[in-house]
Amino acid sequence: MDVCVVGTGYVGLVTGASLAELGNNVICVDIDQKKIQNMKSGIIPIYEPELENIFNKNIKQNRLSFTTNLSEAVNKSSIIFLALPTPPKEDGSADLQHILKVATDLSFIIKEYKVIVNKSTVPIGTVKNVKEVIAKNTNENLFDVISNPEFLREGIAVYDCLNPTRIVIGSSSDKATSLLKELYKPFENKNIPILVMDESSSELTKYASNAFLATKITFMNEIANFCEKVGANIDDVRIGMGADDRIGSKFLFPGIGYGGSCFPKDVKALINQGNQYDFNFQILNSVENVNNYQKTILISSLKDYFKGELKGKNIALWGLSFKPDTDDIREAASLNIINALLKEGVLITAFDPVSNKNVKELIGDKIEYKSSMYQAIENKDALIIVTEWEAFKKADLDKVSSLLKNKAVFDGRNIFSLKEMKEKRFYYKSIGREIIY
C-alpha cells in the first residue's frame, strides 16, 4: 500500500520504517530540511535499537523515502499518518498546534479520497477537531479521520511495531476501517487482535494505558520506600506480587521514577482533560506528586552518608537517558538529580553510552562528561546509578572499588545484588532494600 507518515520523531520514523518493512511504500515527511537530507544520506536522527537495519534495508529496496513536500507525499498515498509532537503546555494540556497546522495544510491538498490517521497521542475529541479543520476547505466525502494510537516502548520500539500486542482503531467509517485493516492484514494473519471502537474510546485507551502503567510503577516505588521503613525487601515483595497473574510481573521494578516522552506528558494531559470536565483524577494527581519526589529520593541518602555536607564533593553519575537503549532525556531523573546536586555545590561527572551529547546540548558544561563508565568514577567521592544500562549491570566491581575515592554506590535502579555488594565491602544504598555498610 502507499502510505505517508507526517513527522519523523520516535513514533513517525519507527512507524514509517516498520510499515516499509512489511512491504508498503512509505514516504516520511518533515519540515526540517536538514533532517530530511540527513535521512536521505542514511543518517538516523534518533538512537533506537534495530531501527538502522530496517531503515537502510528499505531505503535500498525503494520502499522508504523522505521529503519536505507534503503535497507530493499526500498525492502519492492513500493513508496519511499524523505522527506529530503534542508537547504539554504549562497547564499540562496537550499542545495540538502541529497537528492542526498539518490538518489545515491537508485541507488545501486533498483532491481524492484519503484516510487521515491520528497516530500521535492526542486528547479526546481530536479526531473530530482535525475533521472539522480539513472540512473547511475539502469535501467531507474525500476523506475520513480516524484514531490509531501507538503503544511503542522506547528501546524496543521496532520490535513493538512489528510485534504489537493489539491494534486499536477508532473509527466511525467502514471505508476507512476496511483500508486500515488491509494495511494491518499481516498482523491479523498472526492472530494479533484488531480492536475497532469509536474514536473517543480509542483516544482514551492510549491515555488510560500509559496512566495505568505510570500508576503501577509509582505504586511499587511507594511500596519500596515503605519496605525501607519496616525492614522488608522489595525484591521479594515484587516477586511475590508478580506471581499473581491478575497483577503480572511487568512494571513492578522500583527505582527513581518514570520519565520519557509518554508517561509524564500523558498523565498531565489526562489530569487536564479531567479538569475540563470537572472531574478530579485523584489517583493520577498522587502519581505525579510521588513520581516527582521519587526522582531525587537518593539525594537525602547521599547527604546522610556525607553527614549533611555535599558542597565540594565530586559525584559520578552512570546514566543520563530516562531508560536504557534510548538517547531520550525528556523528563529523565538524571536532570532532576543534576539540578539538585548543583544547588548543593556538588561537582558532577557523568557518563551515558548514547546521551552525553543530548544533555550537553541542554545544560552545557555545568557538569563534566566522560567517554567511558570507568573514567567517570575515577577518584570520585560516590557513584549514583541513574539508568540501568546493561554495561553497568556487568561492571567490574573490583575495578569500581579501586577507582572510587569512597566505595559508596547509590543505586537508583537496583542493578546489583545485596550479597555481591556486601562481599565487595561497598557502602550500597538501593531502593526498597537494606543498606549495605
Side-chain angles (χ1 to χ4, degrees):
M1 300 183 72
D2 296 312
V3 177
C4 167
V5 179
V6 186
T8 59
Y10 279 92
V11 174
L13 191 53
V14 171
T15 298
S18 297
L19 288 174
E21 180 71 5
L22 293 173
N24 302 289
N25 300 310
V26 181
I27 306 174
C28 292
V29 183
D30 203 290
I31 60 172
D32 188 331
Q33 292 186 1
K34 183 178 180 182
K35 190 178 186 183
I36 290 295
Q37 192 56 50
N38 283 341
M39 287 190 289
K40 285 181 177 180
S41 303
I43 301 171
I44 302 177
I46 59 173
Y47 176 80
E48 183 65 38
E50 300 306 319
L51 179 57
E52 186 174 2
N53 292 336
I54 64 171
F55 179 89
N56 289 323
K57 173 185 172 183
N58 286 284
I59 289 176
K60 288 177 182 176
Q61 296 181 355
N62 297 317
R63 288 200 298 259
L64 182 64
S65 60
F66 308 93
T67 183
T68 57
N69 191 325
L70 178 64
S71 180
E72 177 186 315
V74 169
N75 288 331
K76 290 181 178 179
S77 306
S78 57
I79 302 175
I80 318 299
F81 282 93
L82 304 184
L84 296 150
T86 55
K89 297 180 183 177
E90 287 188 14
D91 63 358
S93 63
D95 187 346
L96 299 180
Q97 64 170 311
H98 302 293
I99 289 177
L100 297 180
K101 169 64 168 63
V102 171
T104 300
D105 294 340
L106 290 175
S107 74
F108 294 102
I109 294 172
I110 295 173
K111 303 301 179 187
E112 59 183 2
Y113 183 76
K114 309 290 181 184
V115 177
I116 314 301
V117 184
N118 265 343
K119 200 70 178 171
S120 306
T121 302
V122 292
I124 299 145
T126 302
V127 163
K128 181 182 177 183
N129 291 344
V130 170
K131 188 172 183 177
E132 289 173 350
V133 170
I134 298 177
K136 288 179 180 179
N137 300 295
T138 302
N139 189 310
E140 289 192 26
N141 294 325
L142 293 180
F143 72 96
D144 281 304
V145 182
I146 67 175
S147 168
N148 176 220
E150 51 82 18
F151 299 97
L152 308 181
R153 296 167 291 178
E154 289 184 40
I156 50 174
V158 172
Y159 176 86
D160 284 346
C161 211
L162 295 174
N163 302 273
T165 56
R166 79 286 201 195
I167 293 168
V168 175
I169 299 173
S171 171
S172 55
S173 164
D174 291 340
K175 185 177 181 179
T177 301
S178 177
L179 203 60
L180 215 59
K181 278 189 171 183
E182 185 181 344
L183 179 68
Y184 289 137
K185 195 167 186 178
F187 300 130
E188 196 170 24
N189 292 340
K190 294 181 181 179
N191 295 319
I192 292 167
I194 296 180
L195 310 175
V196 181
M197 58 188 72
D198 66 87
E199 296 91 337
S200 294
S201 295
S202 173
E203 291 164 338
L204 183 54
T205 295
K206 173 58 191 287
Y207 277 112
S209 297
N210 278 359
F212 180 78
L213 294 174
T215 301
K216 197 173 181 182
I217 293 169
T218 305
F219 176 82
M220 285 309 293
N221 285 336
E222 285 267 76
I223 294 297
N225 295 342
F226 187 61
C227 280
E228 295 182 17
K229 298 287 186 182
V230 299
N233 187 317
I234 191 60
D235 290 341
D236 295 331
V237 174
R238 172 179 57 79
I239 293 169
M241 289 177 62
D244 187 329
D245 59 12
R246 296 170 301 173
I247 298 172
S249 60
K250 294 181 179 178
F251 287 84
L252 291 185
F253 290 85
I256 46 176
Y258 59 78
S261 63
C262 293
F263 288 1
K265 173 176 69 71
D266 293 351
V267 168
K268 285 183 174 69
L270 192 50
I271 290 171
N272 180 270
Q273 289 173 70
N275 292 337
Q276 290 176 21
Y277 288 88
D278 197 28
F279 181 83
N280 180 17
F281 276 107
Q282 297 179 62
I283 290 176
L284 295 187
N285 277 297
S286 296
V287 165
E288 192 174 43
N289 291 334
V290 171
N291 190 62
N292 289 335
Y293 167 78
Q294 195 74 18
K295 287 183 176 182
T296 56
I297 197 168
L298 286 177
I299 302 299
S300 60
S301 300
L302 195 68
K303 276 186 175 180
D304 289 343
Y305 177 79
F306 288 110
K307 298 181 170 44
E309 185 54 62
L310 291 179
K311 188 174 182 180
K313 301 297 181 186
N314 200 327
I315 306 298
L317 300 188
W318 273 2
L320 294 170
S321 56
F322 87 93
K323 64 182 285 189
D325 297 318
T326 179
D327 61 352
D328 195 346
I329 60 168
R330 285 174 288 184
E331 301 283 346
S334 62
L335 302 178
N336 299 72
I337 291 171
I338 287 169
N339 287 333
L341 291 177
L342 289 175
K343 287 179 182 177
E344 296 284 346
V346 171
L347 304 173
I348 303 170
T349 305
F351 167 75
D352 186 282
V354 297
S355 299
N356 281 4
K357 178 185 175 186
N358 289 350
V359 172
K360 190 168 186 177
E361 287 177 355
L362 183 67
I363 67 171
D365 294 322
K366 293 180 181 179
I367 68 174
E368 185 178 1
Y369 307 88
K370 292 294 185 180
S371 57
S372 84
M373 55 194 278
Y374 295 115
Q375 284 180 2
I377 63 172
E378 191 170 358
N379 205 34
K380 300 303 181 292
D381 292 299
L383 165 65
I384 300 177
I385 298 168
V386 182
T387 314
E388 63 275 32
W389 284 92
E390 196 63 29
F392 301 158
K393 295 178 182 179
K394 296 177 180 177
D396 181 339
L397 291 177
D398 290 327
K399 190 170 184 178
V400 173
S401 175
S402 67
L403 289 172
L404 282 172
K405 184 187 295 185
N406 301 299
K407 292 173 60 173
V409 176
F410 297 80
D411 186 354
R413 302 299 177 185
N414 291 6
I415 68 173
F416 299 129
S417 74
L418 299 179
K419 180 182 177 184
E420 189 175 29
M421 298 306 278
K422 188 177 290 185
E423 288 173 352
K424 299 293 184 181
R425 299 179 180 276
F426 278 94
Y427 178 94
Y428 181 62
K429 171 68 179 73
S430 52
I431 306 293
R433 306 189 291 182
E434 70 170 303
I435 299 175
I436 301 301
Y437 295 93

